[in-house]
Amino acid sequence: MSNMKKTMAACVAAALLLTGAEVFAAPSGQVLVDGDLQSTHWMTVFTNTVNLAWNWSTDATKAQLDITDISGTTCTTNFTKTVSNYLWQAFASDVPAAEDVYDLTLTLSTDDDEIVGVLTSRLAVVHGAFGAVTIDAVEVSREWQKVDKNVVIPYDASFSESATNAASAQLVIAKQGGAAETNTFADVVGYYGWKLRNNGWGYGTFDLLLTFTGTTNEWPATLTRPLDGTILRMQ
Amino acid sequence: MKTTAKMKMAAGCLIGLLAFNAAADAPTIRDVAVRQRWPWSRLVDIDYVLDCDATQRVDVTVSAFDSAESLTLPEDSLSGDRYSVPPGAGRIVWDPSKSGYTNEVLPSFRVSLTPVPAPLYMIVDLITTQTVYLSESDLASGDWGAVQTNPVAGVESIIWTGVTNNTDYMTSKLVLRRVPAGTYLMGGSKSVILTKDFYAGIFEVTEAQWGNIMGPPSSLVTPVYSKSYLNIRGSSVGVNWPSSHAVDDNSFLGELRARTGVKGFDLPTDAQWEYLCRAGTTSYYYDGVSTDSTYTAVLSTLAWWKDNSSNTRHPVGGKLPNAWGLYDTIGNLCEWCLDWYDVTLTGGTDPVGPPPGTARVFRGGCYSHIASQVAIAYRWNVGPTSTANILSFRVIVNLP
């Protein structure tokens, strides 16, 4: 089954949990869709079913929730004002097959389709929240620089103490001799899902540069996507 | 969706709610996520959420595994939210380069985090090198001898007074008391914020304890004296404070760190010293009441000073301790501090003293000093090579 099909299957399987119009005290794991990502730590998913919650604006009567994954597949669900919680099944199995990043957008509107609010959140699925992970402590490691599929890249101002007062972050990905992409984040803590496959990047060496606005700190990295999985450029 | 699936999810929510409510009683840790900072760094972030009462503070112990194999993570390879952690999101950072796994790939790394009450006391055996921690409940069991509650008016505390009845704690073992992070007015005027808990030796280092580390053997439980700053920290890298906590391997602290494996041993900074001596009080001495040097009767219950010492040092632990159970912080012998001396107090957050100068701070006064010279706020200074016979020291353990 393709990733897209899997995601769509998850959408279909998702459950609605009807509650009142107000958000109640959250049990463990509830995620408030509110766009406030200035948290100390990353917004991470810890179960395959995520309890999403939100607050309705006064004049909104309906809402549309769009959840877009790393590959660009969007799952859309519509709600009326009687609903303020949604149990979203992020992936079908208990443990995710791959890491992923989801952008959540909740569009609030009136009966006349006038948009009266847009709430966003970003959630990451990382292996380390579900069990053992691989830790590469080898200083000069071939595997460290190798990429061959879509990857999740963390950005976090607390990586560097001097960046803790930063207001936003920027990640530049530049293929040597090829295309470049600049990603500006309104927050300073999170994950970026780099869609490497089927997105025109091709093979080669990529220079990454992570910066935080208002600071001089730069976090460079060089990654290589080898054509046959064996050619590596070592720095 | 099938009804059974809905019921399972509803049950899951209910269990989640019950678990959340139960956390009000016992601290619990949930939502643990481990991730290496690929591609930026080899540091490993261990994120978690601690559920406990709002006023509660706990330590977090880390057990690590690669598949079923238990891993040894050195104390100094872990940093972040490990000690006196409040409820909410926390992060521990593991630095593999400071462990024995520098050149390895761990294919199935996982951790187990356990919240534990912050211990009150730390006992380091200088012979076996074992370290034991005592919690409030350990002391309440009665197995460790007498304890006293709120010994100083205005400060809530529990202290272990039975420690003075066993000379092992003055000879072959070092006993240290957990000192909570906090804020106070240094010298009564400069606001100081100490952001991290640390452990403070409850006694000045004795002749016997020095002998156990540096030789020759001694059985004396009087404070060691005539040891220079350089003897304690070393004359090479040991002189570099405040740029570094490093000490020479052949210094007292170097030998102590190596023998016990506790890397945080050091002298207290000037600010740490006054904070540990005040122990939550703002009084002239640490009794909570005195306002000037006329409180000589009170002083004589707390310290060996000019009027009661017969002009000589005395065994440690012979006078009343402060609210955190620390003895002889004033009187008996003076105590080296880590910082360079400047007449002006710097204050601020975790102050490290002035830039390099010519003299180091020492504090607390001694058996030959008058009442005003053993005041908590009284500061002295002398060159780091001095081996004056009124100079001793007390060790602390800084937590990472």
Side-chain angles (χ1 to χ4, degrees):
Chain A
M1 183 185 279
S2 69
N3 283 340
M4 182 178 291
K5 285 180 179 173
K6 281 182 184 174
T7 306
M8 294 313 293
C11 286
V12 173
L16 292 180
L17 191 66
L18 303 182
T19 70
E22 299 300 320
V23 175
F24 57 79
S28 172
Q30 190 177 60
V31 174
L32 189 65
V33 183
D34 63 353
D36 180 12
L37 299 179
Q38 305 295 323
S39 59
T40 307
H41 302 298
W42 301 317
M43 298 280 282
T44 307
V45 171
F46 293 91
T47 64
N48 65 345
T49 49
V50 183
N51 188 4
L52 302 175
W54 59 88
N55 292 311
W56 287 89
S57 61
T58 308
D59 41 0
T61 58
K62 57 185 181 180
Q64 175 177 309
L65 177 64
D66 294 313
I67 302 175
T68 304
D69 67 12
I70 196 172
S71 64
T73 304
T74 299
C75 168
T76 300
T77 311
N78 293 298
F79 304 98
T80 61
K81 203 167 184 176
T82 55
V83 177
S84 60
N85 282 75
Y86 176 58
L87 263 185
W88 166 53
Q89 187 168 358
F91 42 91
S93 55
D94 289 341
V95 177
E99 295 192 335
D100 211 327
V101 171
Y102 296 95
D103 285 302
L104 283 62
T105 303
L106 186 75
T107 306
L108 303 167
S109 56
T110 65
D111 282 335
D112 300 330
D113 293 331
E114 180 189 357
I115 295 174
V116 292
V118 178
L119 306 174
T120 60
S121 281
R122 186 182 297 122
L123 286 172
V125 174
V126 296
H127 286 312
F130 294 88
V133 290
T134 298
I135 299 298
D136 186 345
V138 182
E139 194 164 341
V140 183
S141 164
R142 293 170 62 86
E143 288 302 315
W144 184 264
Q145 291 183 288
K146 184 178 173 184
V147 287
D148 59 5
K149 56 186 177 185
N150 296 344
V151 293
V152 174
I153 297 174
Y155 61 94
D156 187 339
S158 64
F159 279 179
S160 170
E161 287 185 2
S162 60
T164 51
N165 293 322
S168 59
Q170 181 172 278
L171 173 64
V172 177
I173 302 174
K175 183 181 180 182
Q176 292 182 3
E181 172 186 286
T182 299
N183 302 280
T184 301
F185 308 114
D187 45 80
V188 294
V189 177
Y191 287 107
Y192 171 67
W194 182 21
K195 188 187 176 190
L196 187 60
R197 305 184 74 171
N198 303 319
N199 204 28
W201 283 106
Y203 300 88
T205 301
F206 301 87
D207 292 317
L208 279 62
L209 186 65
L210 177 66
T211 56
F212 295 96
T213 310
T215 75
T216 56
N217 277 72
E218 294 185 340
W219 287 74
T222 299
L223 302 176
T224 298
R225 186 186 186 195
L227 185 61
D228 60 358
T230 57
I231 302 169
L232 287 170
R233 174 184 176 275
M234 303 300 293
Q235 269 201 330
Chain B
M1 167 170 279
K2 291 183 178 177
T3 307
T4 50
K6 283 184 181 174
M7 289 176 67
K8 280 182 182 176
M9 288 179 183
C13 286
L14 182 59
I15 291 168
L17 270 171
L18 292 173
F20 186 73
N21 291 334
D25 296 322
T28 56
I29 284 180
R30 61 177 167 87
D31 293 355
V32 177
V34 176
R35 200 169 199 277
Q36 199 164 21
R37 293 182 188 176
W38 180 91
W40 315 114
S41 159
R42 279 169 167 82
L43 296 177
V44 177
D45 290 323
I46 304 168
D47 290 341
Y48 64 90
V49 176
L50 169 67
D51 293 323
C52 64
D53 292 342
T55 58
Q56 205 168 1
R57 300 290 181 270
V58 301
D59 287 1
V60 179
T61 62
V62 182
S63 302
F65 307 87
D66 188 29
S67 294
E69 180 190 354
S70 180
L71 303 176
T72 301
L73 306 189
E75 180 73 13
D76 64 343
S77 72
L78 296 164
S79 60
D81 301 319
R82 295 187 58 213
Y83 298 103
S84 288
V85 181
R91 172 177 290 172
I92 294 170
V93 181
W94 177 51
D95 184 352
S97 71
K98 293 181 178 175
S99 70
Y101 312 103
T102 307
N103 209 29
E104 292 186 33
V105 174
L106 306 170
S108 295
F109 179 84
R110 62 190 174 87
V111 297
S112 172
L113 304 183
T114 308
V116 295
L120 284 181
Y121 285 89
M122 172 183 183
I123 305 172
V124 181
D125 192 314
L126 302 176
I127 309 302
T128 67
T129 73
Q130 296 297 305
T131 298
V132 174
Y133 293 92
L134 300 184
S135 66
E136 195 173 315
S137 58
D138 292 325
L139 293 175
S141 71
D143 294 343
W144 296 86
V147 297
Q148 192 176 352
T149 303
N150 303 335
V152 175
V155 182
E156 286 187 15
S157 66
I158 295 174
I159 65 170
W160 179 24
T161 51
V163 68
T164 58
N165 297 327
N166 185 340
T167 55
D168 285 354
Y169 300 125
M170 306 166 188
T171 54
S172 59
K173 296 175 181 175
L174 270 175
V175 181
L176 302 102
R177 162 79 184 210
R178 181 79 164 248
V179 173
T183 302
Y184 78 106
L185 283 180
M186 188 176 183
S189 61
K190 286 280 187 181
S191 179
V192 166
I193 302 169
L194 298 177
T195 60
K196 292 182 178 179
D197 288 17
F198 62 95
Y199 285 92
I202 67 165
F203 301 131
E204 292 169 333
V205 171
T206 65
E207 295 276 9
Q209 288 165 333
W210 178 279
N212 268 315
I213 297 298
M214 303 295 281
S218 169
S219 59
L220 294 177
V221 294
T222 45
V224 70
Y225 68 105
S226 297
K227 304 301 179 190
S228 73
Y229 186 96
L230 304 184
N231 295 145
I232 298 165
R233 301 195 89 245
S235 55
S236 181
V237 297
V239 301
N240 289 337
W241 178 262
S243 64
S244 165
H245 262 293
V247 297
D248 290 23
D249 291 343
N250 61 355
S251 67
F252 174 83
L253 287 170
E255 297 280 0
L256 182 62
R257 290 181 187 183
R259 181 177 303 187
T260 62
V262 180
K263 309 293 186 190
F265 271 118
D266 212 328
L267 293 171
T269 65
D270 196 10
Q272 284 174 319
W273 188 93
E274 184 169 327
Y275 183 67
L276 69 84
C277 184
R278 289 197 173 283
T281 66
T282 56
S283 45
Y284 195 74
Y285 305 119
Y286 56 70
D287 58 297
V289 175
S290 56
T291 55
D292 55 40
S293 61
T294 63
Y295 285 72
T296 53
V298 169
L299 176 60
S300 289
T301 67
L302 309 178
W304 297 109
W305 63 293
K306 184 175 185 299
D307 281 10
N308 69 355
S309 67
S310 303
N311 203 34
T312 187
R313 61 187 172 136
H314 288 261
V316 297
K319 292 294 182 180
L320 293 178
N322 67 14
W324 292 336
L326 309 178
Y327 294 83
D328 301 300
T329 50
I330 57 175
N332 215 356
L333 288 185
C334 302
E335 300 180 10
W336 281 109
C337 291
L338 196 52
D339 300 349
W340 292 105
Y341 176 81
D342 190 279
V343 68
T344 304
L345 297 172
T346 48
T349 301
D350 296 322
V352 296
T358 57
R360 297 282 183 178
V361 177
F362 66 95
R363 292 280 215 141
C366 77
Y367 60 81
S368 63
H369 288 146
I370 61 174
S372 61
Q373 293 173 318
V374 294
I376 294 176
Y378 204 94
R379 299 167 74 237
W380 308 74
N381 68 95
V382 70
T385 58
S386 173
T387 54
N389 63 5
I390 61 168
L391 275 170
S392 185
F393 66 103
R394 129 183 3 248
V395 291
I396 67 163
V397 171
N398 290 301
L399 297 174

